[in-house]
Amino acid sequence: MFWAPHKKCIMHAHADPKPLKMTFRYKAPPAGAGRITFKALIKVGPANDGFFYYPNGIHKIIGPQIPTGGFPGAHVPFRLTEGTALSSSWVMGGLSESCHEACASHSMHCDESTLKGSKIATPSRMESVLGFLGAAVPYIADCGSVSPGLTSKGKSYYNAVNAGLCSHVTASDGRPSCGSWNPQASRFCACKATSARTLSLEAKRQVNPTLFRAPILHTSKMTIEAPEKEEEISDNAHTNSPKLPNQIHQTAMLVLGGMLGGMSLWILRKNRLGAPAVLSILLSLATPVSAHNWLRCPGRAFFEASTTNPFRPRKVSDTHAQLGPGQKMAVKFSSGHHKNHYFVAINGAHQHLIYENDYKDNVRDYFNNVPSGMNLASKFPRLHSCHNTFSNCNDPNYFAGKVSKSDSIYCDHPNYPSKFPIYKWKSQHLVNDVLTYYHSAKYPWIVGGGRYENIAHMPFDEDIFCMEVPLKNASLGNHHIVHWFWKGYYDAIDVNAHATRVPDGLIYGKNTGTSMISRTDHCQHVKPRALITPIRDATANLTQCFQDLTDVAHNRNAVPEIAMNVVPLDNPDLVALPNVMNIPLNFTDDLENQNIRWPPDTLNIALESPLMRLTGKVTRGGMNWAPFIRSLTVRRGHKCHHPRPEDTLENIVQYAFEQPTYYLGFLWVHENRDLKEVYGNTAGKLYRCARTNNSRPSSSYHTFWFPRNLMESPATVGWPSSFSGNPFSASYKISFQPKNPKWDRKPFSINLEPGWKVDNGEVYSDARGYGWRCKQDMAIETNQPRPVPALATNRSVGRTERLNERFCADGKLNSWEIAVPNGAYAATVLHERVRGSIEFGCALENTRYSRGNMATRSVVVEVKDGKFTLSQTGEHSTSYVDNLQRPTTCDDIFWIKLDRLASRLPQMLNAPTSGRKQAWWQTEFPSASQPVGAVIIELPTVLFMSFASYPGSARRYKSNCMNRWFYEPGASCMQTRNLAIYGTGQYFDERDDPDIFRKIYAGEPTPRMKRNYLQYPQPWGSYNISNPNVGAVVSLSDLPCTETGGCPKTNEKICRVIAETSFFRDRSLHRWESLIKIDCKGQTGKYLRVYLRGQNRVLMMRRVHIHRPVVLPTQLATPAPNHRKSLCYGVRPRVASETTPSFITTDDPTDPIFYSTCYTRSWLIEWLPLSKTAPPVPRKFIFNGECLSCQSFRETDPSIPISQNKTINWYFSTDKCQNCKLELSPWEEGKAPTKAPTSTPSAAYPTPQLTVSRFKVELVLNLAMSEVTPPWIKRFNKNVCSLIDVSYGCVHSVFEAGSVRATLRFTNSSYGDPYNQAKTLIRVTNAKKKLVESKLGAPIIYMDQSPTYIGDDVTKGDTEGHEKDSNGWDDASFFSIFAAFLVCIILLVGGCVYMCYRRKNAKTIHLNSQNRLEDIHHVKAVEQL
């Protein structure tokens, strides 16, 4: 994960997201070093994106996340100052040393009572007492007398006898003893000095006997120091010093934001520090990946540029092809940046070898040494597909023509075919390509593969080749992995290799038409395309959760790619950011920092849950319905023939407007009430009457019939009856032009037609009568169809410049106004015709007009405040094809023309307005102070989706004038012409006919005239909130609204003042109004009120949905012990791309995502049966230094059938760590061989004089072997000593006819019999037999898992991830790379030597899967050397 190119820094070893918390051991320098400063550089964002910042400054991204008072390192450099020396009586011995020997080397005695005591009986006590020695965490429980100790592989063990975890071992045998030792153990020893003297940590520094033994440190007490005043720290940095406890902490945690695409956060957790300076430091992230490539065929990452090394975990559904002898599959990869792509086919049983440090070197060596005649790349050459827009496959320098499907070299994926034609590369570009399947005695685990270097920088294109995956060893199973890597990017294609030919139509499987559900642990779907099911209780099981997914799938009459998140209600204490929960509860973007964003279009579906819904008593007031009711025809004692479901009076009137020929009236169950009560809060039941005005007598009902027309006649307001001639009472014509226009750097004049005025971008003034909120730039249109001089008198020469990018000083978008008399106007604009970017970003007097891509638009609006306003929405919409968020721009405008039609628009007849009162709606909750979260308002005509309808809408959108009443006064309601003048024509037609608008109304011929149809003006954009008569308020209060007094303002808690329309964020639906969504953020009150501002208002809402801010724990089932209360909800995942995964996984238990589970419902692809099932992938029980509870380890087994509907719970051991895989420490359990103590050292610390003898011993192992090859024998002979855990004493071993003779060398002190010592060393126990058999049953990898020390030994990282691409450097990383360049040059020679050393000492054993241990013959001979 990290590597140290220099002892003073730590850097990324690869591009994987890092854990939120990382702990690094720091060794203090010798006395006199003085003050030490720790610096850090953090990269935010994915490859080719984001930026760097110094966390010690105050960056705007992390500023809001800093807690009150700050934390160390956030405001000032993290500095330590030298203090007084400390002392300790604990030491670490060398390999094979007993505590007698370790203490004697420091002229002390072993303190066995302390060693056996409770001071180190748990991991936390181990860390507090021994952390300064540099042991790797976690500390694993052990029941042997050698523990506590560190193995040669870098694992730390504590003695768990006193913790009660070793009941199967006799306590006297299992407790630590001073004399116990093991050749693979470096023991932690408690020592005591003679004459009551203690060990000074300023003693002479001892030479490290091994890489893993921490030397005695010269340390001093250190404190964090405030910076000097005269020193410049960083931008906006504070100079206050962070406060820490008086004692030095042993370990400080640093939190890094490790989520892909998310923000990097860091927190220094102030807990206990300990003696020597073993402190954590923040990483210096100076080597980010700067460019990326990815597979363009199905793999585990599924078209994403994944940095998960070496690949994503395999899901149940991850099989991508099946091949027989000689059959090939298509492999496609991005051809963007240079360097080699590697494709390595290996058997799934060998996948552990991919994790070896020298794996990439071995792969390169394999491809660099292809035998003559074994490279098939020229016979089956790779091909190329060009993106027509960005590349040119007709370039003769690169390509040699198209390839047709009938060509023998043709290759493409039938399920994911290339969108564009496929071409051949010219042969000279392919000379370095490699495609081979040769058998390597050096690397027998490599089945074959290919190496292809990107030929040219064509990032939008793809290269294609076809490869085989032969089944070379059927005994290892059919499953194979084609591992792809390019620099720091990785993926895997899972292939089943068969011994017989696969039918050609089944190479990529058979879609059964049914679905399957696969599980992914430590996973969450982020930024989903939609939320599709309500939030459910998943504490006890997932039965209802899976049923919801099934119901949604049936809504579509198909099986969509849908998924589900199962998340804990509350995060465990281990989580670094406990308040970050991936639960869709509100509409805010507060969680954007964690890469979590809820789709507002469908959040209402998740909130449909009974867990979230709030109900109460609903009342209404302030509106006078009496005139409207009196205008209706009433048939008392009659019931209409076709009543519809029960509804409110407001909704019934809305239906009558939408479908006037269908809904003709309503039915009232009067219960002997007076007629005026039909519109009160005690009206009782109302039903819509449809289709016919017939009714039948029924005494319990009254039927009300609507008039034939609910709106005024246009003639009553002076609407023109004809548009011949000039019917307009007034016209206002404004052309937007630069003040001093120039063409080709030469000034010219613009002489407009009579009646036109010029706007040069000046701020609005009363004298001029028109202008902008702030100064607006103007420009000359350069895309003219004719040269400018010929159009010098045309009003369309100039235009606004970058209108959609212009913000005023207050941060709001610019807008334009003109003072005109109140009335109805036909507004026409000519705007820039930029296809795909002008959708619905402009509003003319809060009316949507921009539809499609045509340049000229005309709509009818009503001015009510004396000013006509051209405004912008400034909003964004998301395309779920590419996951990109784009602004809904208002593109540049050439001119605007207003023609006055009448004094106002027609209105609803006898509309129920508030008059001088306040119109309101409220819900009274049962409890006095009810917390409220999301509030959703459904206006009469909006488009929205529901759980029952998804992916379709719950109701069809039909334009309706009532939506506008919610935002502005009056009850205007008239369908007007939507003037689509030019259809798909060009805007230069307008210049040839300047009076086109008049001609349209006069019925004269027009160019490319599109249909004119009637529609209600749709409200759009933001209203001027300074106008007291616009908008609505949603608030909470303990005081109710009343008919006479309205809603009191005393102690009112406003959730939001609604002054802008709400619309879909989905770009495909962006033109439609959506549900109004408000977040009350947990504010409390007895009443939730919705009221309209001002007078003469009409409140028409279809429904108001109120929800809790959080799910209450009391609503959920009681979990089993150690389990957590959990929730589930369905999602439609976003489309995965090279930089936007559909879900995120993590192995970091400090990350909230770790405790969540993803379930994905997809098509079930059928594959041929396998002759042998692949072995299960080894499981982990240690995650970032934390140990999983073994009960949780068993409960989360991937083999548990999903049909059990079991909720997965991850929880960790409380201050204990057991090996859940039942693997023992190298010294096993119980009493180990012992060494007697030496004589008592003197007070002068004499050098201990030990009599040491070396012995050679020969032993024989009898094994049942099968299919043994010479290379296997050679490797086995070399590594057999590692197999029996005596590698540090091994001299030689020989395999002969089913047995192994191994010669060992061991060190023996002067006491004890060497023969018996040798027998004890290799004694056979049942536990050891089982351990050896398990090792013989599968290939073994011995990897160096040592901790990284700053200032000590350097470990090798994945240098492949540091390669830079000259064609795609990240600008933000350039200075960091330059800073690291000199260091890399200096360390190059040393690094090469070290890598050679590591490669030389790597130990890998390849054994046949059927091998088993039959017997170990004890010592055959002992010979003293």
Side-chain angles (χ1 to χ4, degrees), residues 218 247 777 828 880 1102 1165 1219 1221 1250 1253 1293:
H218 175 91
Q247 75 274 18
D777 295 333
T828 305
Y880 291 109
R1102 190 175 295 275
I1165 307 299
N1219 192 314
K1221 296 188 287 186
L1250 296 179
S1253 301
S1293 62

Side-chain angles (χ1 to χ4, degrees), residues 764-1018:
Y764 179 90
S765 68
D766 292 333
R768 190 186 308 107
Y770 58 86
W772 299 85
R773 286 189 72 247
C774 55
K775 188 171 179 59
Q776 172 66 42
D777 295 333
M778 298 293 171
I780 295 297
E781 174 55 41
T782 58
N783 294 322
Q784 297 281 352
R786 293 189 293 269
V788 166
L791 299 171
T793 59
N794 193 286
R795 61 182 180 264
S796 303
V797 172
R799 58 172 172 80
T800 61
E801 176 76 2
R802 298 187 300 275
L803 176 59
N804 59 297
E805 301 175 11
R806 179 64 175 173
F807 288 83
C808 298
D810 58 3
K812 297 180 180 180
L813 286 164
N814 210 355
S815 60
W816 182 83
E817 288 186 321
I818 183 172
V820 296
N822 287 348
Y825 288 84
T828 305
V829 297
L830 173 67
H831 55 69
E832 187 177 17
R833 189 176 187 274
V834 182
R835 182 170 297 275
S837 65
I838 60 174
E839 297 180 12
F840 324 118
C842 298
L844 302 180
E845 195 60 24
N846 291 114
T847 299
R848 178 171 69 82
Y849 82 95
S850 191
R851 298 188 63 176
N853 300 297
M854 293 161 288
T856 307
R857 277 290 177 272
S858 298
V859 294
V860 175
V861 300
E862 182 176 1
V863 176
K864 299 179 181 180
D865 60 355
K867 289 182 180 179
F868 170 87
T869 304
L870 165 66
S871 59
Q872 308 176 65
T873 65
E875 298 292 345
H876 292 75
S877 61
T878 301
S879 171
Y880 291 109
V881 175
D882 54 15
N883 297 319
L884 293 181
Q885 193 178 63
R886 297 179 175 87
T888 54
T889 60
C890 180
D891 284 289
D892 297 331
I893 295 176
F894 294 81
W895 53 258
I896 186 167
K897 183 169 179 256
L898 301 177
D899 296 301
R900 195 167 191 268
L901 300 173
S903 60
R904 62 175 174 85
L905 288 175
Q907 296 188 357
M908 173 185 174
L909 288 170
N910 302 303
T913 66
S914 64
R916 295 180 178 273
K917 295 182 179 180
Q918 186 179 71
W920 53 266
W921 175 102
Q922 70 182 6
T923 290
E924 180 183 1
F925 300 117
S927 60
S929 297
Q930 174 64 56
V932 176
V935 176
I936 301 175
I937 299 176
E938 181 186 344
L939 293 183
T941 302
V942 293
L943 191 70
F944 70 97
M945 299 172 186
S946 68
F947 172 48
S949 70
Y950 187 85
S953 59
R955 59 193 307 267
R956 189 168 61 93
Y957 183 89
K958 294 191 67 176
S959 65
N960 188 312
C961 55
M962 290 184 172
N963 283 14
R964 183 177 291 274
W965 301 348
F966 187 79
Y967 302 102
E968 60 187 54
S972 300
C973 198
M974 178 183 177
Q975 290 179 310
T976 59
R977 297 282 178 182
N978 178 52
L979 302 173
I981 301 176
Y982 300 112
T984 57
Q986 303 297 322
Y987 58 58
F988 60 78
D989 289 333
E990 175 272 331
R991 300 186 182 111
D992 298 331
D993 198 345
D995 266 340
I996 186 66
F997 186 81
R998 180 186 61 77
K999 290 186 177 182
I1000 288 174
Y1001 274 98
E1004 298 178 22
T1006 58
R1008 298 189 179 98
M1009 181 63 187
K1010 198 179 180 182
R1011 61 194 176 103
N1012 290 346
Y1013 58 90
L1014 294 173
Q1015 71 169 16
Y1016 292 101
Q1018 183 177 341

Side-chain angles (χ1 to χ4, degrees), residues 80-95:
L80 303 179
T81 56
E82 190 170 358
T84 59
L86 302 175
S87 62
S88 174
S89 60
W90 287 84
V91 300
M92 179 189 289
L95 285 172

Side-chain angles (χ1 to χ4, degrees), residues 231-501:
E231 181 177 356
E232 182 178 350
I233 301 169
S234 58
D235 294 339
N236 301 320
H238 294 265
T239 57
N240 59 309
S241 176
K243 297 179 180 179
L244 290 177
N246 293 331
Q247 75 274 18
I248 287 299
H249 293 20
Q250 173 180 323
T251 303
M253 293 292 193
L254 292 170
V255 179
L256 295 178
M259 299 184 185
L260 180 62
M263 189 190 75
S264 292
L265 302 177
W266 65 279
I267 299 171
L268 184 60
R269 186 174 66 189
K270 295 185 284 188
N271 56 0
R272 41 185 181 70
L273 274 175
V278 186
L279 300 178
S280 299
I281 66 168
L282 193 58
L283 320 182
S284 175
L285 311 183
T287 55
V289 175
S290 64
H292 57 272
N293 282 310
W294 62 96
L295 291 186
R296 291 196 170 183
C297 59
R300 295 188 189 179
F302 206 76
F303 302 98
E304 179 195 344
S306 172
T307 58
T308 301
N309 182 10
F311 36 58
R312 293 274 178 84
R314 188 186 184 194
K315 302 191 299 292
V316 176
S317 57
D318 276 336
T319 301
H320 307 105
Q322 53 187 359
L323 301 171
Q327 292 181 300
K328 299 178 178 63
M329 68 174 183
V331 179
K332 308 166 76 170
F333 58 95
S334 173
S335 57
H337 303 282
H338 72 287
K339 299 293 183 183
N340 286 324
H341 294 256
Y342 290 91
F343 299 85
V344 189
I346 67 171
N347 192 288
H350 290 148
Q351 64 177 298
H352 61 279
L353 298 174
I354 297 176
Y355 294 87
E356 287 192 358
N357 287 340
D358 57 356
Y359 164 73
K360 289 185 177 180
D361 293 333
N362 295 339
V363 168
R364 295 186 184 97
D365 189 38
Y366 175 86
F367 287 112
N368 289 337
N369 293 281
V370 178
S372 176
M374 300 298 290
N375 186 357
L376 306 177
S378 59
K379 184 177 180 181
F380 304 102
R382 64 165 150 164
L383 308 174
H384 187 83
S385 178
C386 280
H387 190 290
N388 285 353
T389 304
F390 300 100
S391 304
N392 180 18
C393 276
N394 294 315
D395 188 337
N397 295 317
Y398 288 101
F399 302 104
K402 292 183 181 180
V403 179
S404 66
K405 292 185 179 181
S406 60
D407 292 339
S408 60
I409 62 171
Y410 180 83
C411 179
D412 200 5
H413 198 296
N415 297 340
Y416 298 88
S418 299
K419 297 180 180 179
F420 304 99
I422 297 175
Y423 289 77
K424 294 186 292 186
W425 287 102
K426 285 202 166 182
S427 58
Q428 63 264 31
H429 299 299
L430 306 178
V431 293
N432 294 323
D433 286 3
V434 177
L435 178 63
T436 185
Y437 311 101
Y438 81 93
H439 174 77
S440 169
K442 192 174 182 181
Y443 312 109
W445 45 273
I446 298 181
V447 174
R451 183 192 67 198
Y452 298 94
E453 183 178 10
N454 275 345
I455 297 171
H457 183 68
M458 301 177 179
F460 294 95
D461 298 358
E462 59 195 22
D463 276 0
I464 312 166
F465 73 97
C466 278
M467 71 173 292
E468 301 177 24
V469 181
L471 179 63
K472 292 188 176 181
N473 189 345
S475 65
L476 296 177
N478 301 88
H479 175 241
H480 287 66
I481 296 171
V482 177
H483 183 221
W484 166 80
F485 64 88
W486 175 88
K487 297 177 71 171
Y489 289 83
Y490 310 88
D491 205 350
I493 303 172
D494 294 278
V495 181
N496 290 338
H498 293 270
T500 59
R501 187 175 180 82

Side-chain angles (χ1 to χ4, degrees), residues 167-181:
S167 58
H168 59 291
V169 176
T170 304
S172 59
D173 292 338
R175 281 195 175 93
S177 69
C178 289
S180 296
W181 68 284

